[in-house]
Amino acid sequence: MPKRPDLRAVDDPTRARLEIEFEQPYLLGPLFGDYDRHLVAIEDRLGVNIAARGNRVQIEGEPDSAAKAREVLVDLYSRLDAGQDVDLAVVESVIGMGAQRKLDGIVPDADAPASNPNRVMIRTRKKTIVPRSTIQTHYMEALARDDMIFALGPAGTGKTYLAVAQAVSMLIGGQVDRLILSRPAVEAGERLGFLPGDMKEKVDPYLRPLYDALYDMLPTEQVERRIASGEIEIAPIAFMRGRTLSDAFIILDEAQNTTPQQMKMFLTRFGMRSRMVICGDPNQTDLPRGVESGLADAVHKLEGIPRLAMVRFGAADVVRHPLVGRIVEAYEGPAA
């Protein structure tokens, strides 16, 4: 296992100066980013000055800010040393995770660096996924622990993506026999019958985000083979009526666009040895005016039931471009 970078502090009555010595110089290019853009982002966000000389980095600033910048660099370096990618979005998310550095996961990584041995992870055929925010950490823990999980919050927080990753991980690990991915086709409404093609071709555009997540986790040929065999099923919520879904990982996306009757129907499909994740943004419903959202109704009625987790994301948890989080705040207000 790689050793934690050497950390040296120089006492100063007004400002802190910290020095980090990294053991693997070849990791410094991706750590700093093109034209040092990662260092610039850390400087801008934390109000520190960072100077790199060889394999040593000096940080100067207010004591708390300098210490946080040091921890951000150590975290990013550990990710690179473990073979993970680091880009500007990762840098922003690590900064946003704050001082909560210890991730007490129940999906431990045997190959994690000594500096962070308990990192929560999801392993799939194509990638290993680690949380990019504190709430994502709690969400990934819930995905591995609870029978039913409601993931609530704005777009870009990883609700559906992480659920699909956990589903694929459990499928290839033999913990479930099939994946069932669903969402309401609210936008189509009565116009579905006028779209060209068979039913699959009519509803596929509304299920595209689920396909995209699957192809990110599994090789293309495996996705297509498993869909053809029925091991992975992607269908609108109307296709769930009358079924009992056992030995399955079931995901409902865009759940805010269900009615209370649809949501009750879907939740009661839950069978033995299954896991169900309901993802949605209560503030972004496409239902006709005056129609109650089944997601809001379910959250109100089911909160507090044992083995049912409610995970709430906010604008600060958006892991897309940093501007997306600010846009969400502008529309909905800052996270509570």
Side-chain angles (χ1 to χ4, degrees):
M1 287 186 180
K3 296 180 180 179
R4 184 180 178 89
D6 180 31
L7 307 179
R8 300 190 179 103
V10 180
D11 292 332
D12 187 287
T14 58
R15 292 173 70 82
R17 293 199 307 274
L18 306 179
E19 184 176 280
I20 312 175
E21 182 174 346
F22 295 103
E23 291 187 335
Q24 308 290 347
Y26 71 93
L27 294 178
L28 298 185
L31 176 65
F32 298 165
D34 294 338
Y35 304 104
D36 292 341
R37 64 188 304 190
H38 298 166
L39 300 184
V40 171
I42 296 170
E43 289 179 325
D44 290 345
R45 289 286 301 277
L46 300 180
V48 298
N49 295 317
I50 302 176
R53 296 179 178 86
N55 66 331
R56 296 185 179 185
V57 174
Q58 290 186 341
I59 307 166
E60 182 176 346
E62 295 295 328
D64 289 346
S65 297
K68 185 172 181 179
R70 178 189 65 189
E71 289 302 315
V72 168
L73 285 169
V74 169
D75 187 301
L76 296 171
Y77 177 85
S78 297
R79 291 171 186 246
L80 290 165
D81 200 38
Q84 300 165 20
D85 293 330
V86 167
D87 57 18
L88 195 56
V90 173
V91 174
E92 291 280 353
S93 65
V94 170
I95 295 171
M97 289 178 74
Q100 300 186 33
R101 305 260 42 97
K102 190 173 185 298
L103 305 179
D104 296 318
I106 55 176
V107 189
D109 174 21
D111 302 320
S115 60
N116 202 345
N118 295 317
R119 184 177 301 284
V120 176
M121 319 191 78
I122 299 174
R123 294 184 184 276
T124 67
R125 286 280 189 262
K126 293 180 69 173
K127 59 172 58 179
T128 297
I129 299 164
V130 297
R132 291 189 172 191
S133 73
T134 302
I135 300 300
Q136 280 197 359
T137 301
H138 300 325
Y139 182 39
M140 290 168 68
E141 291 175 343
L143 288 171
R145 178 189 64 235
D146 296 305
D147 294 332
M148 185 177 291
I149 303 99
F150 281 76
L152 313 171
T157 51
K159 304 183 302 293
T160 304
Y161 189 82
L162 291 176
V164 173
Q166 180 70 15
V168 168
S169 179
M170 293 182 68
L171 178 65
I172 62 182
Q175 295 163 274
V176 295
D177 294 337
R178 54 186 173 149
L179 308 186
I180 299 172
L181 313 178
S182 183
R183 64 185 291 180
V186 167
E187 298 86 349
E190 295 300 322
R191 296 188 297 275
L192 265 179
F194 296 98
L195 295 175
D198 58 20
M199 181 57 69
K200 182 178 184 300
E201 292 170 324
K202 294 176 192 292
V203 301
D204 269 1
Y206 304 103
L207 304 173
R208 193 72 251 168
L210 298 174
Y211 283 104
D212 291 343
L214 276 176
Y215 285 119
D216 221 20
M217 309 298 168
L218 288 169
T220 301
E221 63 277 7
Q222 283 199 29
V223 174
E224 294 173 352
R225 185 173 68 248
R226 292 173 189 266
I227 290 176
S229 69
E231 200 173 359
I232 297 176
E233 179 182 350
I234 305 178
I237 191 172
F239 285 29
M240 301 296 111
R241 189 174 298 278
R243 305 173 62 183
T244 299
L245 307 175
S246 301
D247 299 293
F249 198 113
I250 310 141
I251 300 173
L252 175 61
D253 193 26
E254 300 291 343
Q256 73 275 5
N257 289 331
T258 62
T259 64
Q261 293 76 20
Q262 287 176 318
M263 179 63 77
K264 178 183 177 183
M265 179 274 292
F266 185 83
L267 295 177
T268 54
R269 303 308 93 197
F270 192 60
M272 299 297 292
R273 301 170 301 278
S274 288
R275 189 152 302 173
M276 182 177 282
V277 183
I278 298 92
C279 304
D281 181 358
N283 296 319
Q284 198 175 29
T285 178
D286 296 309
L287 292 168
R289 185 181 299 273
V291 177
E292 184 183 7
S293 169
L295 178 62
D297 180 64
V299 170
H300 173 72
K301 290 177 177 175
L302 303 179
E303 183 119 40
I305 292 179
R307 304 197 68 176
L308 187 155
M310 298 278 182
V311 181
R312 291 177 169 86
F313 294 87
D317 303 302
V318 173
V319 293
R320 295 177 180 170
H321 192 285
L323 185 59
V324 177
R326 299 186 183 104
I327 291 171
V328 172
E329 282 193 1
Y331 275 91
E332 301 177 9

